[in-house]
């Protein structure tokens, strides 16, 4: 049998559907965020990254880098084992206490990634509940879907953020059956926010447990960076709050926080937690430093929101099809996988702007887009430069502009005037 052929066919299929993925070979430059070196086949150039999930630039915050240096010089590189067998390191224990405090929960548990935290926790929690029925938002992240699948539990998918549909499904299940509602706070491809308070009301009414993924909100929302639940004072109304250390906190790892008994059970029963080497002390120390900084500093959050609003406004003013978003995420609609890829290539090659195309299966077919993530370090000048580059690319490739009828995204006049005057256009 020609084994290789099956793999080649699988890859050919992706090419045929115009969604074969190419990774850009990048090297981020400390002190010049969001600039990075891009190594192409021809040469090495400095470019601007506009699609990083290091939302606040904490990945190169001097305090975070210093914590890493300090931990590595004192404790070396790896953890040296699983949590159970010699890998449990002091910085990791401290990190879990920090996270529990961040979300006002009894306990926290750290995993090697946000993906693993969702997969391991959702599957384990649902397996430990007798005859559990899971209610999952249709737009939940792949890691949550894996958790639901692995649990082997029966599931009901509710329409995205649709409270009436969720209630209908909960009602049908009855009050007595064990139920787990899993959803996200900020949905990262559209930038919309779940009705957390109302979902918590339904959970109470129908006696369900709740699990929220705050991956795209931790560090960025709330007085202490505890996410949307922190901002809206709802932490106590959700049983399990999950997050990542790899996005706004700028390091690596994932976690859950919640009641002691649940956390202890996941710690004791989840294979994805037990049978893998612990997060290294360097990463744990850096993450703790980042969380501590963002617990008290409002400046990163304020600038982040300001530059995101400004980006939406400037792009919308140029009739670029900015999709409505309630958050820091700025999706721009393309609607075709090939055009989306071409737009991304042209932005990089001609304008030195890196925005990865977002195609199926990350988003539904026909809604392919460029997903732009402004940070506090994307200056007004860079925003105007981005707008000009997008207009050139949209025109050159014949991608539809918006009709201009939609009301431009809000931004205070002061901020826009500032941007335009500073950037001279
Ligand atoms: C990125 C992401 C994860 C996974 O987090 P990692 O730390 O990158 O593994 C989980 N949930 C959502 C919604 C995400 O976007």
């Amino acid at each position: 049998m020609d084994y290789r052929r099956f793999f080649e066919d699988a890859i050919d299929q992706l090419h045929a559907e115009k969604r074969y993925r190419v990774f850009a070979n990048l090297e981020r430059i400390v002190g010049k965020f969001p600039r990075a070196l891009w190594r192409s086949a021809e040469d090495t150039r400095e470019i601007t990254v506009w699609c990083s999930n290091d939302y606040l630039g904490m990945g190169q915050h001097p305090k975070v880098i210093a914590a890493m240096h300090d931990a590595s010089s004192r404790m070396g590189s790896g953890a040296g084992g699983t949590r159970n067998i010699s890998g449990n390191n002091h910085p990791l224990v401290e990190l879990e206490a920090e996270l529990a405090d961040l979300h006002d929960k009894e306990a926290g548990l750290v995993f090697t990634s946000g993906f693993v935290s969702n997969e391991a926790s959702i599957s384990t929690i649902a397996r430990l509940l007798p005859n559990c029925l899971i209610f999952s938002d249709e737009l939940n992240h792949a890691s949550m879907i894996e958790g639901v699948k692995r649990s082997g539990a029966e599931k009901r998918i509710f329409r995205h953020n649709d409270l009436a549909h969720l209630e209908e499904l909960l009602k049908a299940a009855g009050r007595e059956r064990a139920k787990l509602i899993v959803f996200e706070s900020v949905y990262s491809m559209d930038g919309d926010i779940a009705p957390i308070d109302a979902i918590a009301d339904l959970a109470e009414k129908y006696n369900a447990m709740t699990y929220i993924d705050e991956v795209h909100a931790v560090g960025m929302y709330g007085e202490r960076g505890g996410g949307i639940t922190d901002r809206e004072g709802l932490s106590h109304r959700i049983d399990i709050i999950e997050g990542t250390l790899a996005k706004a906190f700028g390091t690596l790892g994932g976690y859950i926080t919640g009641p002691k008994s649940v956390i202890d059970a996941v710690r004791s029963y989840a294979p994805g937690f037990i049978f893998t080497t612990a997060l290294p002390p360097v990463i744990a120390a850096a993450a703790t430093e980042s969380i501590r900084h963002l617990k008290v500093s409002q400046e990163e959050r304020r600038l982040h929101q300001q530059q995101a609003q400004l980006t939406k406004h400037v792009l919308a003013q140029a009739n670029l099809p900015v999709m409505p978003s309630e958050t820091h995420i700025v999706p721009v609609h393309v609607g075709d996988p090939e055009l989306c890829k071409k737009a991304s290539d042209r932005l990089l090659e001609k304008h030195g702007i890196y925005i990865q195309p977002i195609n199926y299966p990350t988003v539904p077919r026909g809604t392919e887009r460029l997903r732009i993530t402004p940070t506090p370090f994307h200056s007004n000048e860079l925003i105007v430069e981005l707008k000009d580059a997008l207009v050139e690319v949209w025109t050159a490739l014949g991608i539809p502009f918006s009709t201009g009828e939609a009301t431009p995204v809000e931004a205070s006049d002061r901020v826009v005037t500032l941007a335009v005057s500073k950037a001279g256009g």
Side-chain angles (χ1 to χ4, degrees):
M1 189 170 347
D2 179 6
Y3 285 107
R4 289 187 193 198
R5 224 201 63 223
F6 296 101
F7 302 99
E8 286 158 7
D9 287 351
I11 293 298
D12 285 347
Q13 165 129 14
L14 294 179
H15 281 295
E17 290 177 21
K18 307 294 177 197
R19 53 186 190 90
Y20 178 74
R21 296 174 189 224
V22 181
F23 301 155
N25 184 351
L26 303 173
E27 182 179 321
R28 305 204 292 159
I29 310 165
V30 169
K32 286 176 92 172
F33 191 95
R35 303 284 282 170
L37 293 175
W38 171 52
R39 288 179 168 81
S40 69
E42 293 89 50
D43 57 3
T44 299
R45 278 159 58 188
E46 213 180 290
I47 52 105
T48 305
V49 178
W50 271 101
C51 59
S52 176
N53 280 339
D54 187 355
Y55 290 121
L56 303 176
M58 293 304 287
Q60 45 184 266
H61 193 288
K63 279 169 75 182
V64 175
I65 297 174
M68 228 170 179
H69 280 156
D70 174 59
S72 71
S73 63
R74 291 193 297 122
M75 294 170 240
S77 61
T82 63
R83 291 294 289 277
N84 190 32
I85 307 176
S86 90
N88 192 34
N89 54 83
H90 181 62
L92 197 41
V93 174
E94 269 192 324
L95 171 59
E96 286 175 341
E98 196 66 41
L99 289 164
D101 174 73
L102 175 66
H103 295 294
D104 240 336
K105 296 290 184 195
E106 288 172 11
L109 191 68
V110 168
F111 301 76
T112 45
S113 77
F115 189 101
V116 172
S117 70
N118 273 332
E119 192 267 349
S121 306
I122 294 172
S123 62
T124 303
I125 291 167
R127 264 192 299 119
L128 293 175
L129 291 169
N131 192 28
C132 178
L133 183 57
I134 302 179
F135 299 82
S136 176
D137 187 287
E138 66 177 337
L139 292 191
N140 275 345
H141 188 259
S143 56
M144 304 169 81
I145 296 171
E146 284 304 313
V148 172
K149 277 190 192 155
R150 256 194 65 92
S151 74
E154 211 184 326
K155 64 168 189 286
R156 302 278 183 271
I157 310 295
F158 60 95
R159 286 190 293 274
H160 179 53
N161 283 348
D162 188 332
L163 291 165
H165 191 211
L166 175 59
E167 174 151 29
E168 185 189 316
L169 296 172
L170 284 167
K171 196 183 249 168
R175 260 190 75 84
E176 296 316 311
R177 185 163 181 191
K179 293 178 287 300
L180 176 67
I181 306 173
V182 295
F183 64 113
E184 301 180 26
S185 61
V186 171
Y187 286 84
S188 70
M189 291 300 148
D190 296 295
D192 56 336
I193 298 176
I196 302 172
D197 207 9
I199 290 178
D201 286 344
L202 286 178
E204 223 169 82
K205 184 169 170 193
Y206 295 96
N207 196 19
M209 234 181 115
T210 45
Y211 180 110
I212 195 169
D213 173 316
E214 284 251 48
V215 161
H216 290 278
V218 290
M220 292 171 275
Y221 295 89
E223 190 63 23
R224 302 198 310 155
I228 304 290
T229 46
D230 177 14
R231 182 182 80 179
E232 298 179 1
L234 297 172
S235 310
H236 64 288
R237 299 210 60 204
I238 301 293
D239 295 305
I240 306 290
I241 299 178
E242 184 269 352
T244 184
L245 305 168
K247 289 169 182 169
F249 292 128
T251 60
L252 184 74
Y255 65 87
I256 55 169
T257 61
K260 247 192 190 114
S261 55
V262 180
I263 301 302
D264 202 20
V266 173
R267 182 185 75 88
S268 309
Y269 283 95
F273 174 82
I274 299 170
F275 299 103
T276 192
T277 299
L279 212 62
V282 273
I283 302 288
T288 300
E289 191 61 36
S290 184
I291 296 163
R292 282 184 183 156
H293 176 81
L294 290 174
K295 264 183 184 168
V296 291
S297 173
Q298 304 302 328
E299 193 56 11
E300 289 83 4
R301 281 188 281 278
R302 189 187 65 74
L303 266 174
H304 183 219
Q305 290 302 317
Q306 178 185 300
Q307 295 313 86
Q309 292 309 318
L310 181 62
T311 305
K312 287 184 205 175
H313 185 83
V314 167
L315 301 192
Q317 286 277 300
N319 286 333
L320 287 156
V322 180
M323 301 162 73
S325 151
E326 303 166 64
T327 58
H328 56 281
I329 292 159
V330 185
V332 182
H333 186 261
V334 178
D336 176 271
E338 191 171 13
L339 274 180
C340 201
K341 169 84 169 66
K342 278 189 177 160
S344 169
D345 288 347
R346 191 176 175 97
L347 279 169
L348 187 55
E349 282 151 23
K350 194 174 161 76
H351 301 279
I353 286 176
Y354 173 54
I355 309 172
Q356 187 67 18
I358 307 284
N359 287 347
Y360 176 84
T362 308
V363 296
R365 290 185 209 271
T367 72
E368 291 81 5
R369 67 196 68 175
L370 296 181
R371 174 182 177 273
I372 298 170
T373 52
T375 71
F377 295 93
H378 287 88
S379 65
N380 299 348
E381 289 78 1
L382 286 178
I383 293 171
V384 172
E385 189 186 294
L386 170 72
K387 181 262 295 172
D388 291 341
L390 286 170
V391 167
E392 190 282 327
V393 168
W394 250 242
T395 309
L397 299 180
I399 304 172
F401 282 84
S402 70
T403 53
E405 281 158 16
T407 37
V409 185
E410 270 178 59
S412 81
D413 287 344
R414 190 187 61 78
V415 173
V416 176
T417 316
L418 198 75
V420 173
S421 64
K422 267 195 185 164

